[in-house]
Structures are given as structure tokens and as C-alpha cells.
């Protein structure tokens, strides 16, 4: 997948970017979402879930650290926001999840970088001076 | 009549809790491990990593509960434990311990839905105010409006579509530089601010049909992000007060509307956000105009605790003759 930079005008468009991204994913893919509070990480994952044919509504995984959804491919929605130590991610079984034949989308993924496999797709969402977002998608080294 | 003792175990998220109930009603012990005195008593400086380490904490919490209740484990007649929703690892710890104890004692075991457990906080505190009632479960992990037709008979009206209300409090608190979890600090800060200082949206208030009972708080959080970016010198107290007012407006309006439509006389608020002073004051006051009585169980029963789990297990077992087999698995995504 080529590195690219997109501009989103609205939450709806961020959602559509997630939907489109879902079409290009294959089992075992891992997405690392980076961006401040309110950037639109969960919104993008909501679109991703729709693109994977998941009918259930995707809610914030902050409190539970991980939520699992069944679609064309299973989606594991992980949130490292509350994580203070990598072992906490190990305890919820993040490494096992990485081996599963699904899609892993991890918010605040930069905190989990040591546990992530090579070749993750990094999605950095940045709030611009208006309400637009710059969304940069690139393959991690 | 011989006393019936129920042991309850709750480990669905951050808290490790063990409780003992007499005859399903009287709380003999309700130990939550995060209580500071327990750390001191057992000499445990609990490192950050152990925040989820229920394995280490559960035996101490169990012993403390037995000591407080002044009973022997052998006197327990029923064991209940949360089997979902929550994190699979922590759930497994409480569930496996509960099953092991039930098996060793030869007594029945009941797996409890954590969300149903929350509703039993009301049963423990207000036994003479039974269902039907409208329940609002509002915490860091959940925002649910539920019609409790009877204990054991629930109709979920709506939930949050993104962030839970308590999570929004925590995250906006973080934006204002408060420590996580930020609910109590934000509440305090808001008391010094003007709730009308900033114009914020009231998400999902004009919905119709089934979505009229749903909540959405992520956009409100984003509004605060925009405001702080454009007004870096905005007064934190005003921001906290305005944000809190928006959340409370939405919670109250939907709750009262549902109570009127369902024609329930009682409204029960449980979960960590039930501690919010603005929600308590305003809901109590505004419900009067609709002749609704609002109940807020005490905070020790509102936040995650095992007494509510034991109460739900006792009800399930004695009223619905529920008894689970020892192969009951944790269900991280369990719904009410």
C-alpha cells in the first residue's frame, strides 16, 4: 500500500476514508492510529467497521481496552489510552490478537510500538486550524 | 430461619472486589481492593502494572471480606461472580476463583451480568422501592437507559454510540489538565464556573424513533478541543461547567422523557457518574415537575463492587432458580 496523505472536511468524510480503507485490508493487518483527543480516531474505526460489514455500532474501547466485532473479517478495536505499562496490553492478549486472522486497529498505538509486528499501517490524524483533518497513512518500518 | 450467606466476586475491569451478603440483602462485607487501608494492611505497594493484576489481589480481598463478616468460608451457601461484560483476563480470574470455591464447598454457582449487577445496587439500598423503574447506568464504560419491568426483566432503550458519559468527563478533564480519572475533579472545578459561558451542542436531543434514546458524547469532547485550540486562555472552570451542563442536560432530558413515556414512577441512577453533583441536584429537582422519584444508591454501591453482584446472584438463584455449570465462560461483550 502506498504512503499517502488525505484531507478530511468532516467526521462523515473521516468515516468514509475508514470505509474505503477497509476494502484494501487483508487478514492479519494491523492499523496504528495516532492523534490527539478529538482527532477522529474512533470515527475512522467506525467507518472501517462499516467497510468490513460490521452492523454493530463501534463504541469507544477506552474503558475496556479492547472490543471485538464480527464482520467480513473480525475487527479487534484496541485502545492504549489508559495503558501505563506494556504488560497491561500483554494481559489483555494483544499479542495473541495480532496472530489472529482479523484486523487489529489500535488507538494511541504509539504507546504499544514495542509489541507491534513489522509492517503495520500507521494512520496519523492531525487537526488543522479549522475543523479539517490531515490524515497521513504510511507503512511502518 | 438459618442465615443464607452469598459470596460475590467482581473483577470485570479495574477493581478487585469481594462481598458477603446475609439473606441477599444485608451487606456483611463489601471489600474493594483499591481501598488504601488494604494496601497498608497487607504491606502491598501495588505497582502500576498490578492495576490489572487481580490474581494477586483477590486472595487478600477474600480474606478481608471473611474477616469483616466474621464468618468462615465454609458457611457460604452460594457463590456469584461477574462473567461479563469486561476484560477477558480479569473476568477469568474472578470467575475461576468463584467456580473453584463453589466446587470446593459443594454449593451452587451463578454467573452475573455486570450491568444487571449495577441495577441491584438499588435493590440493596432501597428494598422497598421495587421495579418497575427506569434505570440510567452511567459510568466510565457505559451509558445505558433501561426499562426495568422487574428484576430479571429488562428492556434496553438506548446506549451510547461512541464515548460513555464518564469517559467524556475523563477525557475533557485531561484536556483541562486534570488527572485521570477526572470525574470528581471536573465536578469540583465546574462549581466555580459559569455553565452558560460557552455554547456547546446537546448531542442527540432531537432524534426520533429508536435513536431518541441513544447518546453520543464524542462530538462534545471534540467541541472542547476546538474551543481550547481557539481560546487558549479560556477559563478552565467555565469550560468544565459548560461541558458538564451539556452532558447533564442530555442525560436528564432523555431520562425524564423516557420515564414519562414509560409511565414509570421511579428513576434509578447507578454507575460512577451518579456521583456527579450537578446531575444529582438537577435530576432530583427537575423530576419533581413530572412527579417522578429519583434514587441514587450510595457511591460505594454505584461504582464497581461485589455486593451488587452477590445481590444479583442471590436473586437469580432464589427467585429464578438459576444455577450455572462450572464451564461457564467469560463473555467480554455480554449485553444487558
Amino acid at each position: 500500500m502506498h504512503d499517502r496523505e488525505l484531507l478530511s472536511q468532516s467526521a462523515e468524510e473521516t468515516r468514509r476514508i475508514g470505509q474505503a480503507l477497509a476494502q484494501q485490508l487483508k487478514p492479519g493487518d494491523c492499523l496504528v492510529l495516532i492523534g490527539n483527543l478529538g482527532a477522529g480516531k474512533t470515527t475512522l474505526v467506525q467507518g472501517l467497521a462499516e467497510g468490513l460489514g460490521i452492523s454493530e455500532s463501534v463504541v469507544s474501547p477506552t474503558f475496556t481496552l479492547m472490543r471485538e466485532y464480527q464482520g467480513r473479517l473480525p475487527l479487534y478495536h484496541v485502545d492504549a489510552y489508559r495503558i501505563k505499562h506494556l504488560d497491561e496490553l500483554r494481559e489483555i492478549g494483544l499479542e495473541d490478537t495480532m496472530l489472529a486472522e482479523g484486523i487489529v486497529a489500535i488507538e494511541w498505538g504509539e504507546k504499544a510500538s514495542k509489541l507491534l509486528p513489522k509492517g503495520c499501517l500507521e494512520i496519523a490524524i492531525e487537526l488543522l486550524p479549522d475543523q479539517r483533518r490531515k490524515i497521513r497513512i504510511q507503512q511502518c518500518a | 430461619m438459618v442465615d443464607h450467606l452469598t459470596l460475590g466476586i467482581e473483577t470485570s475491569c479495574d477493581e478487585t472486589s469481594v462481598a458477603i451478603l446475609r439473606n441477599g440483602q444485608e451487606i456483611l462485607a463489601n471489600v474493594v481492593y483499591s481501598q488504601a487501608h488494604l494496601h497498608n494492611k497487607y504491606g502491598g505497594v501495588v505497582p502500576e502494572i498490578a492495576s490489572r493484576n487481580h490474581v494477586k489481589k483477590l486472595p487478600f480481598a477474600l480474606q478481608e471480606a471473611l474477616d469483616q463478616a466474621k464468618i468462615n468460608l465454609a458457611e457460604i451457601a452460594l457463590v456469584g461472580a461477574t462473567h461479563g461484560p469486561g476484560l477477558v483476563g480479569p473476568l477469568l480470574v474472578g470467575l475461576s476463583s468463584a467456580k473453584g470455591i463453589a466446587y470446593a464447598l459443594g454449593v451452587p454457582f451463578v454467573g452475573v451480568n455486570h450491568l444487571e449487577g449495577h441495577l441491584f445496587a438499588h435493590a440493596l439500598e432501597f428494598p422497598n422501592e421495587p421495579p418497575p423503574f427506569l434505570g440510567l447506568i452511567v459510568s466510565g464504560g457505559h451509558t445505558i437507559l433501561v426499562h426495568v419491568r422487574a428484576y430479571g426483566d429488562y428492556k434496553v432503550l438506548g446506549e451510547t454510540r461512541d464515548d460513555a458519559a464518564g469517559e467524556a468527563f475523563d477525557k475533557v478533564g485531561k484536556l483541562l489538565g486534570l488527572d485521570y480519572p477526572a470525574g470528581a475533579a471536573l465536578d469540583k472545578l465546574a462549581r466555580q464556573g459559569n455553565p452558560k459561558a460557552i455554547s456547546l451542542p446537546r448531542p442527540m436531543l432531537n432524534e426520533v424513533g429508536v435513536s431518541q434514546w441513544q447518546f453520543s458524547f464524542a462530538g462534545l469532547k471534540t467541541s472542547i478541543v476546538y474551543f481550547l485550540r481557539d481560546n487558549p486562555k479560556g477559563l478552565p472552570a467555565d469550560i468544565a461547567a459548560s461541558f458538564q451542563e451539556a452532558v447533564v442536560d442530555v442525560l436528564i432530558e432523555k431520562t425524564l422523557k423516557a420515564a414519562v413515556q414509560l409511565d414509570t414512577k421511579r428513576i434509578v441512577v447507578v454507575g460512577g457518574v451518579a456521583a456527579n453533583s450537578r446531575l444529582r441536584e438537577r435530576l432530583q429537582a427537575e423530576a419533581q415537575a413530572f412527579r417522578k422519584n429519583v434514587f441514587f444508591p450510595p457511591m460505594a454501591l454505584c461504582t464497581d463492587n461485589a455486593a451488587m453482584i452477590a445481590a444479583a446472584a442471590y436473586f437469580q438463584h432464589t427467585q429464578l432458580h438459576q444455577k450455572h455449570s462450572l464451564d461457564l465462560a467469560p463473555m467480554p461483550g455480554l449485553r444487558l
Side-chain angles (χ1 to χ4, degrees):
Chain A
M1 216 175 283
H2 297 297
D3 293 356
R4 65 205 131 130
E5 207 170 276
L6 306 164
L7 205 61
S8 167
Q9 309 283 345
S10 64
E12 191 42 50
E13 197 172 344
T14 301
R15 201 180 257 262
R16 281 200 299 272
I17 289 169
Q19 284 175 5
L21 194 61
Q23 309 314 320
Q24 303 165 33
L25 297 177
K26 55 184 193 310
D29 278 351
C30 165
L31 277 61
V32 181
L33 290 119
I34 297 174
N36 289 330
L37 282 175
K41 299 181 294 298
T42 301
T43 304
L44 191 132
V45 176
Q46 284 171 339
L48 190 74
E50 285 162 17
L52 291 171
I54 292 162
S55 52
E56 209 181 327
S57 60
V58 165
V59 298
S60 166
T62 298
F63 197 69
T64 53
L65 307 184
M66 176 156 69
R67 290 181 192 264
E68 186 180 334
Y69 301 91
Q70 294 302 325
R72 178 168 62 78
L73 293 169
L75 171 67
Y76 303 93
H77 189 190
V78 185
D79 192 330
Y81 180 72
R82 299 202 301 141
I83 297 289
K84 290 193 177 134
H85 197 288
L86 275 184
D87 283 350
E88 292 175 302
L89 283 171
R90 289 204 177 94
E91 278 186 41
I92 64 162
L94 180 63
E95 289 159 309
D96 298 334
T97 306
M98 295 289 179
L99 298 172
E101 293 290 286
I103 305 294
V104 177
I106 170 163
E107 299 192 23
W108 303 93
E110 64 272 31
K111 288 187 173 185
S113 55
K114 283 187 186 142
L115 289 186
L116 299 176
K118 284 183 179 149
C120 283
L121 210 54
E122 184 182 286
I123 303 174
I125 311 180
E126 189 190 334
L127 177 58
L128 298 176
D130 42 28
Q131 300 200 352
R132 292 179 306 165
R133 268 80 171 159
K134 187 166 82 181
I135 301 178
R136 200 188 62 237
I137 304 175
Q138 60 182 7
Q139 206 90 38
C140 299
Chain B
M1 177 182 138
V2 181
D3 282 339
H4 179 286
L5 297 177
T6 306
L7 176 73
I9 298 180
E10 155 66 32
T11 58
S12 65
C13 201
D14 293 350
E15 313 295 355
T16 307
S17 180
V18 178
I20 296 164
L21 290 190
R22 181 186 277 147
N23 300 326
Q25 190 65 51
E26 188 190 347
I27 301 171
L28 300 184
N30 187 19
V31 175
V32 179
Y33 189 89
S34 54
Q35 290 165 353
H37 73 270
L38 257 189
H39 287 255
N40 298 335
K41 185 164 176 179
Y42 295 102
V45 175
V46 182
E48 210 51 68
I49 154 117
S51 64
R52 288 179 195 290
N53 208 334
H54 297 279
V55 175
K56 283 186 187 157
K57 296 187 272 185
L58 192 54
F60 295 124
L62 173 62
Q63 190 56 54
E64 177 72 16
L66 292 169
D67 290 350
Q68 282 183 17
K70 299 189 178 65
I71 63 153
N72 293 313
L73 187 60
E75 296 173 63
I76 295 293
L78 171 70
V79 183
T82 306
H83 74 116
L87 282 161
V88 67
L91 284 171
L92 204 51
V93 173
L95 202 52
S96 306
S97 306
K99 290 182 203 168
I101 293 167
Y103 181 73
L105 297 178
V107 301
F109 157 75
V110 176
V112 174
N113 181 322
H114 178 81
L115 298 166
E116 179 175 22
H118 270 305
L119 297 169
F120 274 83
H122 176 76
L124 282 171
E125 185 66 16
F126 303 107
N128 300 322
E129 302 285 349
F133 61 76
L134 176 73
L136 175 65
I137 305 173
V138 63
S139 68
H142 305 280
T143 308
I144 302 174
L145 264 180
V146 55
H147 185 196
V148 180
R149 292 179 282 217
Y151 287 122
D153 181 8
Y154 313 109
K155 163 96 176 122
V156 173
L157 303 177
E159 304 184 44
T160 181
R161 302 216 294 207
D162 38 54
D163 296 2
E167 176 182 354
F169 270 94
D170 286 334
K171 288 186 169 171
V172 168
K174 171 97 177 175
L175 292 169
L176 295 174
L178 304 174
D179 285 337
Y180 188 98
L186 193 139
D187 186 349
K188 199 174 160 196
L189 182 62
R191 267 176 246 162
Q192 297 147 29
N194 173 7
K196 291 183 178 149
I198 305 163
S199 164
L200 293 168
R202 302 292 189 263
M204 312 282 297
L205 268 196
N206 297 316
E207 302 286 322
V208 289
V210 287
S211 59
Q212 70 182 309
W213 309 122
Q214 292 179 348
F215 300 93
S216 167
F217 295 110
L220 200 49
K221 169 189 73 191
T222 308
S223 299
I224 299 292
V225 170
Y226 292 150
F227 182 85
L228 281 167
R229 180 194 61 191
D230 301 334
N231 305 275
K233 291 195 174 148
L235 273 182
D238 282 347
I239 298 168
S242 301
F243 163 76
Q244 176 176 269
E245 201 70 356
V247 174
V248 168
D249 271 353
V250 173
L251 290 174
I252 288 181
E253 184 160 335
K254 284 183 190 272
T255 301
L256 289 178
K257 195 165 142 192
V260 167
Q261 213 170 97
L262 296 169
D263 198 22
T264 55
K265 289 205 165 49
R266 301 181 188 89
I267 295 169
V268 172
V269 187
V270 291
V273 180
N276 182 268
S277 63
R278 190 74 176 158
L279 177 64
R280 293 178 91 99
E281 286 161 20
R282 285 193 43 200
L283 187 55
Q284 288 286 11
E286 291 169 36
Q288 283 181 4
F290 298 92
R291 295 166 187 253
K292 306 292 179 195
N293 292 323
V294 185
F295 298 90
F296 286 94
M299 280 325 291
L301 295 177
C302 269
T303 50
D304 288 356
N305 71 90
M308 66 185 197
I309 301 301
Y314 179 84
F315 169 83
Q316 291 267 346
H317 186 68
T318 56
Q319 303 298 310
L320 307 179
H321 310 292
Q322 181 67 267
K323 181 186 169 203
H324 285 120
S325 101
L326 294 182
D327 59 6
L328 182 75
M331 299 176 75
L334 191 63
R335 312 286 290 261
L336 187 60

